[in-house]
Amino acid sequence: MASVLLCLLLAGPVLLVASSPVHDSNNETVPLVLWHGMGDSCCNPLSMGAIKKMVEEEVPGIYVLSLMIGKNVVEDTENGFFSDVNEQVSMVCSQLAQDPKLKGGYNAMGFSQGAQFLRAVAQRCPSPPMKTLISVGGQHQGVYGLPRCPGEHSHICDIIRKALNSGAYTDLVQKHLVQAQYWHDPLNDDLYKKHSIFLADINQERSVNETYKKNLQLLEKFVMVKFLQDSVVDPVDTEWFGFLKTGQAKETETLQESVLYKEDRLGLAAMDKAGKLVFLATEGDHLQFSREWFNANLLPYLR
């Protein structure tokens, strides 16, 4: 989400310059794969490019791959709005499998929608192995609202809202609008489960894919970051795998209260008991954090 990160970096330069790099005497580093959010691109110097540079400064010698979904930055940005997510995940799986620098495994960090897309990679493509998945404001139970779309003054946000309101679960919208593919309508649960081509699949809503469950549990850690003043993600509980209770749109439930967890359809309960799930919270709006916070809370998982 380029506009959000842009505001962050302009308003809070501490993210890049307020602290000195933390060096480790151990020269061995695990590669890092980044997947950006809606409205952003792999290489924007004010957002993902800055994150990549920061990690490289903090962990000398690390290989950081910031995923480009398309042939260039323009396509990459457009594909964050208008594309088939399943095709994107398949393309990324192929790219990672062909990268010799990742053959020993890698850590992954997804920002906003990029987080659930990387989780799909973990569930569908265990080779090369993903070691730790860090979800920064990801929407693992989807969204039911678009309160502050990045680029509010752009016609794109209006197009998205109209498409979601008129028919999020129609074949045409599902295949071509990224946000519809993780749109989770608690008032139309049957429609969601039947017609969601991405989220309902990776969340085991229709049936239990034992391969997905097995592969996700191969993670050493699954770290989820929630932004307590988030004005972009609705409901914010989805950032910790919680969501609205089915049949209404006011009360929420935690991951631990959900059927997904109680029936352990995805292996999350087992991972929780094994200490593999990490729930972090930070003050601030969507994707807003300081370099100090990043170093103290996320950097340890990248070593």
Side-chain angles (χ1 to χ4, degrees):
M1 295 184 170
S3 62
V4 178
L5 278 170
L6 175 59
C7 290
L8 161 63
L9 295 171
L10 292 179
V14 65
L15 176 61
L16 297 178
V17 300
S19 65
S20 59
V22 178
H23 295 160
D24 196 326
S25 58
N26 187 348
N27 290 325
E28 301 243 350
T29 61
V30 177
L32 176 64
V33 173
L34 305 174
W35 197 328
H36 63 79
M38 175 175 67
D40 203 358
S41 70
C42 64
C43 314
N44 187 331
L46 293 175
S47 55
M48 296 309 297
I51 296 293
K52 180 177 184 292
K53 180 180 178 181
M54 181 178 72
V55 171
E56 290 170 340
E57 290 176 351
E58 299 292 350
V59 187
I62 191 173
Y63 171 57
V64 181
L65 172 63
S66 186
L67 294 167
M68 178 185 289
I69 311 301
K71 298 177 181 178
N72 52 56
V73 170
V74 173
E75 281 191 14
D76 188 20
T77 305
E78 290 176 347
N79 285 334
F81 293 105
F82 308 112
S83 183
D84 185 319
V85 176
N86 290 312
E87 291 179 1
Q88 292 187 36
V89 170
S90 179
M91 183 192 75
V92 167
C93 286
S94 296
Q95 181 180 351
L96 300 185
Q98 294 170 24
D99 191 330
K101 295 181 180 179
L102 303 178
K103 64 181 181 180
Y106 63 97
N107 293 323
M109 182 179 293
F111 294 82
S112 199
Q113 67 182 21
Q116 57 261 35
F117 300 167
L118 279 171
R119 176 164 63 84
V121 171
Q123 292 175 206
R124 294 173 178 174
C125 309
S127 181
M130 184 186 295
K131 296 178 178 293
T132 292
L133 172 59
I134 301 175
S135 167
V136 185
Q139 302 101 43
H140 293 283
Q141 277 284 14
V143 297
Y144 186 56
L146 205 67
R148 190 161 68 82
C149 175
E152 280 294 352
H153 302 297
S154 163
H155 69 284
I156 290 178
C157 291
D158 287 333
I159 292 173
I160 293 173
R161 285 195 180 94
K162 289 177 182 177
L164 291 173
N165 289 333
S166 64
Y169 299 122
T170 61
D171 291 343
L172 180 64
V173 174
Q174 279 289 308
K175 289 289 289 183
H176 297 287
L177 182 60
V178 168
Q179 289 67 42
Q181 293 165 61
Y182 58 87
W183 183 256
H184 187 169
D185 186 345
L187 302 179
N188 291 283
D189 194 55
D190 290 341
L191 274 178
Y192 156 67
K193 288 179 178 179
K194 183 176 180 180
H195 296 290
S196 170
I197 66 172
F198 174 70
L199 188 69
D201 177 66
I202 66 166
N203 281 4
Q204 311 272 49
E205 298 282 16
R206 289 183 282 266
S207 62
V208 174
N209 182 326
E210 292 295 341
T211 299
Y212 283 5
K213 186 174 180 178
K214 176 185 174 182
N215 288 343
L216 189 63
Q217 291 181 85
L218 293 175
L219 289 174
E220 296 172 8
K221 293 288 183 182
F222 179 9
V223 182
M224 288 172 269
V225 179
K226 178 196 285 189
F227 293 89
L228 298 178
Q229 275 75 51
D230 203 314
S231 65
V232 175
V233 175
D234 185 17
V236 70
D237 306 75
T238 188
E239 296 177 354
W240 276 2
F241 235 119
F243 202 64
L244 295 160
K245 293 181 179 179
T246 301
Q248 50 83 62
K250 292 184 178 180
E251 285 187 64
T252 60
E253 63 183 10
T254 65
L255 166 63
Q256 289 77 9
E257 294 168 333
S258 69
V259 172
L260 178 69
Y261 186 94
K262 290 177 179 178
E263 295 182 358
D264 207 14
R265 297 173 68 85
L266 196 51
L268 292 168
M271 292 177 71
D272 198 10
K273 291 171 185 173
K276 290 186 174 185
L277 300 187
V278 180
F279 300 91
L280 301 178
T282 181
E283 299 293 336
D285 204 346
H286 195 56
L287 303 185
Q288 293 190 3
F289 53 87
S290 68
R291 184 167 185 158
E292 288 91 346
W293 186 90
F294 184 94
N295 287 349
N297 294 277
L298 300 185
L299 196 63
Y301 295 103
L302 301 182
R303 300 199 178 284

